[in-house]
Amino acid sequence: MGFDTERLRHRGLLAEKREQARQLKLGIEGDMLAVRDHLDPFLPLEEIRADLAARQAVDLASKHADYVALLAEIKAIEKALGR
């Protein structure tokens, strides 16, 4: 495999990782909105769905960890490509 072929492969991988990051970011933003919705400060306390907010927050934390790791991968690939 020549240098140009390897570089093209890395550029393709970078594009895939960026798309994954974009999708994760959308999911994170959706989870953030859902948590806020479940914790509406104007609802009476007995109507707050803390159980749903907690589940959504766990999903949010997991996606966030994946997102941060993915950003580190993207940065490493960009560095390898000289960007």
Side-chain angles (χ1 to χ4, degrees):
M1 182 182 324
F3 181 73
D4 289 336
T5 305
E6 183 177 334
R7 188 166 177 78
L8 284 174
R9 186 172 50 85
H10 281 38
R11 288 171 75 183
L13 180 61
L14 179 59
E16 288 177 23
K17 297 292 182 179
R18 284 181 174 161
E19 177 59 22
Q20 289 174 2
R22 188 184 74 77
Q23 292 292 328
L24 265 176
K25 183 179 178 185
L26 290 173
I28 289 168
E29 289 169 348
D31 286 347
M32 288 170 55
L33 291 173
V35 170
R36 286 183 184 133
D37 190 48
H38 294 308
L39 299 176
D40 185 342
F42 299 106
L43 282 176
L45 285 179
E46 63 273 10
E47 292 181 24
I48 296 291
R49 293 299 312 264
D51 58 330
L52 295 179
R55 272 187 256 150
Q56 202 75 47
V58 169
D59 289 344
L60 170 62
S62 175
K63 287 178 188 173
H64 184 264
D66 292 343
Y67 183 72
V68 170
L70 194 52
L71 291 181
E73 286 182 58
I74 289 169
K75 189 173 185 177
I77 294 169
E78 288 174 339
K79 184 176 180 183
L81 289 171
R83 294 183 181 187

